[in-house]
């Protein structure tokens, strides 16, 4: 079974530029999560989808971050414009309906904002 | 509000010795508790979870964790540490009151010396 796929693995941008990350969850997993992991901290949930609907986006900075999961499969997270403090690893995870509590994580995208 | 604390930034143990990585939590309702491990440049990998029932939970790679309701703790243990266990370990909690968010601790780095 293929795992959660993310791209790109690394991205370096200047502040005020925009960036997008892509995630393809494990096949059949209805729930998809985006986390931000700042160096030295645990992952912080940005947004959670159930199929293509948003379940929780309370910690998503909506003035600059957006995410979509149009067909209930893969997802894109965008930052526009980026700030220095957005430098982090962005992790995507997914879980299946019959075991929604167990999350499977992708390798992450390391973003550096200069 | 949910919270989780990992009081040790780093745990050092000799190979073959038992290891313990500590975690305490705070939730409104009953907790769902998790341990994940993160190897360098990789996403988090699920180790084990406590939902209900037996307080001692067994997981992957010989790890186990003990749920202690009175002390609100969920410490990760292994009887005999391996050098390959060296990694970053995250405790996480979610409550059963209907919230969807999983809260992660800041992580504990485990170093196993040969």
């Amino acid at each position: 079974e293929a795992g959660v796929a993310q791209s790109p693995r690394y991205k370096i941008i200047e502040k005020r530029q925009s960036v997008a990350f892509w995630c393809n969850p494990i096949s059949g997993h209805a729930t998809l999560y985006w986390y931000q992991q700042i160096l030295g901290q645990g992952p912080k949930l940005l947004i959670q989808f159930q199929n293509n609907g948003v379940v929780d986006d309370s910690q998503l900075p909506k003035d600059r971050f957006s995410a979509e999961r149009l067909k209930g499969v893969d997802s894109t997270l965008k930052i526009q414009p980026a700030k220095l403090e957005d430098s982090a690893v962005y992790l995507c995870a997914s879980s299946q309906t019959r075991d929604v509590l167990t999350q499977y994580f992708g390798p992450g995208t390391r973003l550096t904002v200069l | 509000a949910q919270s989780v604390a990992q009081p040790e930034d780093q745990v050092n143990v000799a190979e073959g010795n038992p290891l313990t990585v500590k975690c305490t939590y705070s939730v409104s309702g009953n907790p769902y508790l998790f341990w994940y491990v993160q190897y360098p440049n990789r996403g988090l990998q699920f180790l084990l979870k406590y939902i209900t029932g037996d307080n001692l939970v067994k997981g992957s790679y010989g790890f186990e964790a003990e749920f202690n309701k009175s002390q609100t703790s969920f410490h990760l243990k292994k009887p005999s540490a391996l050098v390959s266990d060296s990694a970053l370990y995250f405790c996480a909690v979610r409550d059963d009151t209907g919230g969807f968010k999983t809260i992660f601790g800041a992580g504990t780095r485990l170093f196993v010396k040969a």
Side-chain angles (χ1 to χ4, degrees):
Chain A
E1 178 180 73
V4 176
Q6 290 188 247
S7 67
R9 292 294 312 275
Y10 305 91
K11 190 73 177 180
I12 300 174
I13 61 172
E14 300 278 337
K15 61 182 179 183
R16 292 187 290 273
Q17 287 186 324
S18 61
V19 65
F21 312 128
W22 174 83
C23 171
N24 191 28
I26 294 172
S27 178
H29 282 199
T31 308
L32 185 147
Y33 315 77
W34 281 103
Y35 288 89
Q36 180 191 57
Q37 185 178 17
I38 293 173
L39 187 65
Q41 299 180 20
K44 182 183 81 170
L45 180 69
L46 292 176
I47 189 167
Q48 178 178 339
F49 292 95
Q50 179 73 21
N51 295 308
N52 59 351
V54 175
V55 170
D56 188 325
D57 64 355
S58 58
Q59 299 189 114
L60 186 73
K62 298 180 185 66
D63 58 334
R64 298 184 300 105
F65 286 65
S66 64
E68 59 183 14
R69 193 184 185 198
L70 292 176
K71 296 183 178 179
V73 181
D74 56 350
S75 175
T76 302
L77 176 69
K78 296 180 181 178
I79 308 175
Q80 181 180 0
K83 293 185 175 181
L84 296 178
E85 58 261 36
D86 298 332
S87 294
V89 176
Y90 291 84
L91 295 165
C92 180
S94 68
S95 59
Q96 55 187 321
T97 303
R98 62 184 176 92
D99 183 15
V100 69
L101 295 174
T102 301
Q103 298 182 45
Y104 297 85
F105 284 81
T109 296
R110 182 177 298 277
L111 173 67
T112 302
V113 182
L114 303 175
Chain B
Q2 301 165 230
S3 67
V4 60
Q6 294 182 243
E8 302 155 315
D9 291 335
Q10 182 164 314
V11 170
N12 298 308
V13 64
E15 187 174 35
N17 283 0
L19 69 87
T20 299
V21 183
K22 296 179 180 178
C23 172
T24 59
Y25 67 89
S26 174
V27 295
S28 302
N30 293 311
Y32 300 134
L33 293 156
F34 311 85
W35 277 101
Y36 286 82
V37 60
Q38 187 174 34
Y39 297 99
N41 297 316
R42 296 178 66 177
L44 278 68
Q45 184 176 337
F46 173 78
L47 277 180
L48 51 79
K49 68 186 175 192
Y50 170 83
I51 306 299
T52 186
D54 194 348
N55 289 343
L56 186 64
V57 178
K58 294 189 182 295
S60 306
Y61 312 119
F63 284 94
E64 58 189 26
E66 186 169 11
F67 171 63
N68 187 316
K69 187 172 184 177
S70 63
Q71 297 186 5
T72 61
S73 67
F74 189 58
H75 300 333
L76 181 70
K77 300 180 180 183
K78 187 174 183 181
S80 179
L82 299 172
V83 172
S84 57
D85 293 330
S86 298
L88 192 54
Y89 289 82
F90 291 95
C91 180
V93 66
R94 180 170 165 173
D95 70 28
D96 70 345
T97 60
F100 299 100
K101 195 179 306 177
T102 301
I103 304 297
F104 285 82
T108 297
R109 186 164 299 281
L110 173 66
F111 181 71
V112 181
K113 184 177 180 181

